C-alpha cells in the first residue's frame, strides 16, 4: 500500500477521507482550522496516532498565519489555536500529545524570530510524520515476535495504516508477521456504529493481501468458543500509567471474552498514546457521540424508531489486568504495568 | 399494542412485514407456499414462536387445496408441503414443531373424510395461535416474579410481540413486570446484522411505554462493568434436552459477559422451543446467512470492500451452565437441566 493517511501538500493538509472508504479513495485538502476541526469530528481522519499528526499539522496551519510582534503575542495566539483543536475530541491521548509537542517546540525556541519559529514548527510536524512511520515499524517488529505461523488474530476498529501515517499499530504487527512469512489470518470485527472494521480494516488488509474475514462484533464469542482465535490485538486511544486502556467501544467486550476463553489479549500502541499523567482508566474522559450513528445507518437509512433513547459511548476502558502485554515502539511491556510502563516509557 | 403478528384473514395468511419496521407498519397477505417460504427466508416473519404459527398456517394453506382420493394420497401431499416449509430455515425448533403438530392432527383423524381433516387442520392452526397467546402470558407471569422494582434488563434481538403472536417471551416478562408496576428499564442490543433490536424491540417497547435505550451489541460489556445491568433475558430458537440454547448470534457473547459480571442470565421460551430429541447444543444446526447482510447495510449502502470474506452465522449456542434459569410457560426451570427439563416438559 503506497498510501499515506496524512501529508502536507501545496500548503494544505492532505487527508484520505476515511468516511468514503471502501467505496472511494478520495482526499480532502484542508487549508483552515475550522475544516480540520470538522474533519476530525466527522472522522474523515481518525485513529489515535493519525490524530496526533493531524493535530500537529493543524497547529502549524494556524501558526503559519499568526501575525505577532513578539513571542508572547505569538504564544497567546498559538494557545488559542491549540485549545480550539483540542476541543474536538476528548479521548485520544495523541491529539493532545501532538499539540503539546508543537507548543513545546515553540517555547524551546522562543528567543528566535517568529518566522524561524514557524519554520521550526513545520519541521516538528514533519518529524512527527517521520517518527510515526518508524514507530509503527518498531511496533510491528516487536509484535511479530509474538505471532506464530498461521495464527488467527481478532481485531476491532482500525489500528492500521489508516489510523497512523502508513503502516499501523495492531495491523502493523500483522503486516510484519505477514512479511516474515507467518501467514497470519485475521477476523475483523465490523465495529459498530461507525464500521471502521468493515470499511477500513477489512479494506486495507485485503489490499495488502492478508487473509481477512469480516464478522459482526457479536460473533467474536462464538469464534472463540470454537477455538478459532489465537490472539486478540487492538490499538488504543489512551493508556493510563497503571495500564488501563481506552479504545473503541467493544474492546472491553473482547477483553472479557478473551480472558474467559484463555486467549492472549494484546494492545499495540506507540509511547505517545500513554498518558503517564493519568493514574487509572477512571480518569480518561469518554466521548459520547451522536445518537444518529445508531439510528440511521451511516446517516442514511433509518433503523431505530423515532425519538428512541440511545447510549453511544465511542470508547470503553479495558482494565490493565485483562491485557497480556502492550506492544509499543520501545518494546513489549508486561505486567506489573504500574512499575513497567513508567520504567520503559518514562523520562 | 393491539397488533397481531400473524393471523388468518380472507383465506390468506396476514403477516406484519417486519422488514419494514420501524419505518412503516405494513402487512403482507400470503396465499401460496412459495410466498410464505420467501417471507420466512427474508425474515418478514421471524422469531421462533411466530415461525411455529407461520409454519402451521403454511401447512393449512397447502392442505386446503389438496385434491386426494384417500388419506394415503392426502398424507403424501401433506408431507411434501411440510418438507418444503421445513427447508426454509434450519435452526428454530418451533418451525418444525408447528409442522409436526399439523401433521399429527391429520394422522390422528385419518379415518375422517378429507374435507373434515382440512377443517381440523384449520382449527389446529387456530389453536396454535390461541395457545401462543396464553403461553406468552404464562411466561410473563412466571418471569415477572424474578424481576425487582426498577430492574434494568438487557436483551438482544426480538423476543417480543413480533416474535410471537402478540405479547412475547423475554419481552412478555418485561411487559408483565411493567403491568405489575415494577417499572423495568431495558437496554436493547441493536443486534447486527439484521438489527432486530433496533428495528423491532426498541420499537415495540417504546410503543408499550417501557423505558428503553438502544445500544450497539459491543456496548453491553461496558454497561455491565458500570453495574447498570441487573438481568439479561433473551429468547431462544432451540433448546436441547441438556439446556444448551441456540439463539440469535451474540447471545453467547452476552452470556459470557453476564457470568463474568455476576449478572443472572435467563432464557424465556415456550415448551415448543425445547427439542428433547436433541441431546446437546452440538447437534443444533446453525444457519449461515448471506454475506450481504454485513457488507451492505440493509442491502442498500455498501460498507465492506468488494469480495470480502464474511462469516455470518445467524445463531450461536449458549451452553446450559451459563443459563441461570429457563422461564417457560410451565414454570421456571432451574439446574440441573438434564433432569429438570424432561421432568417439567416431558410427556
Amino acid at each position: 500500500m503506497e498510501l499515506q493517511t496524512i501529508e502536507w501538500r501545496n500548503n494544505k493538509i492532505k487527508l484520505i477521507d476515511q468516511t468514503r472508504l471502501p467505496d472511494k479513495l478520495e482526499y480532502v485538502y484542508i487549508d483552515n482550522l475550522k475544516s480540520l476541526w470538522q474533519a476530525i469530528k466527522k472522522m474523515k481522519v481518525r485513529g489515535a496516532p493519525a490524530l496526533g499528526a493531524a493535530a500537529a499539522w493543524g497547529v502549524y496551519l494556524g501558526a503559519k498565519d499568526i501575525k505577532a510582534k513578539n513571542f508572547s503575542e505569538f504564544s497567546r495566539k498559538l494557545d488559542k489555536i491549540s485549545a480550539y483543536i483540542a476541543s474536538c475530541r476528548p479521548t485520544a491521548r495523541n491529539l493532545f500529545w501532538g499539540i503539546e509537542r508543537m507548543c513545546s517546540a515553540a517555547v524551546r525556541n522562543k528567543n528566535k524570530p517568529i518566522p524561524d519559529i514557524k519554520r521550526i514548527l513545520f519541521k516538528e510536524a514533519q518529524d512527527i510524520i517521520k517518527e510515526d512511520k518508524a514507530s509503527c515499524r518498531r511496533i510491528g517488529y516487536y509484535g511479530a515476535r509474538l505471532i506464530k505461523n498461521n495464527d488467527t488474530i481478532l481485531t476491532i476498529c482500525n489500528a492500521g495504516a489508516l489510523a497512523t501515517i502508513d503502516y499501523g499499530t495492531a495491523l502493523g504487527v500483522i503486516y510484519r508477521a505477514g512479511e516474515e512469512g507467518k501467514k497470519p489470518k485475521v477476523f475483523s470485527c465490523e465495529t459498530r456504529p461507525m464500521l471502521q472494521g468493515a470499511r477500513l480494516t477489512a479494506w486495507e488488509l485485503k489490499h495488502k493481501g492478508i487473509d481477512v474475514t469480516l464478522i459482526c462484533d457479536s460473533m467474536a464469542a462464538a469464534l472463540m468458543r470454537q477455538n478459532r482465535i489465537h490472539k486478540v490485538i487492538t490499538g488504543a486511544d489512551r493508556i493510563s500509567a497503571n495500564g488501563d486502556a481506552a479504545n473503541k467501544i467493544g474492546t472491553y467486550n473482547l477483553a472479557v471474552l478473551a480472558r474467559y476463553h484463555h486467549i492472549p489479549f494484546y494492545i499495540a500502541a506507540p509511547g505517545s498514546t500513554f498518558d503517564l499523567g493519568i493514574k487509572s482508566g477512571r480518569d480518561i474522559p469518554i466521548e459520547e457521540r451522536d445518537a444518529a450513528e445508531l439510528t440511521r445507518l451511516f446517516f442514511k437509512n433509518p433503523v431505530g424508531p423515532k425519538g428512541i433513547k440511545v447510549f453511544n459511548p465511542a470508547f470503553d476502558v479495558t482494565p490493565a489486568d485483562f491485557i497480556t502485554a502492550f506492544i509499543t515502539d520501545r518494546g513489549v511491556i508486561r505486567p506489573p504495568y504500574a512499575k513497567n510502563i513508567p520504567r520503559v516509557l518514562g523520562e
Side-chain angles (χ1 to χ4, degrees), chain A residues 147-153 173-179 181-186 209-212:
Chain A
I147 308 298
K148 293 187 183 144
N149 287 340
N150 304 306
D151 263 358
T152 297
I153 295 153
V173 170
I174 290 161
Y175 292 140
R176 175 65 190 241
E179 290 157 19
K182 292 182 172 174
K183 300 195 166 70
K185 289 180 193 63
V186 178
I210 301 283
D211 182 335
V212 56

Side-chain angles (χ1 to χ4, degrees), chain A residues 22 47 94 110 130 136 223 297:
Chain A
N94 304 60
K110 65 180 176 183
K130 269 185 232 159
C136 284
L223 281 175
L297 290 178

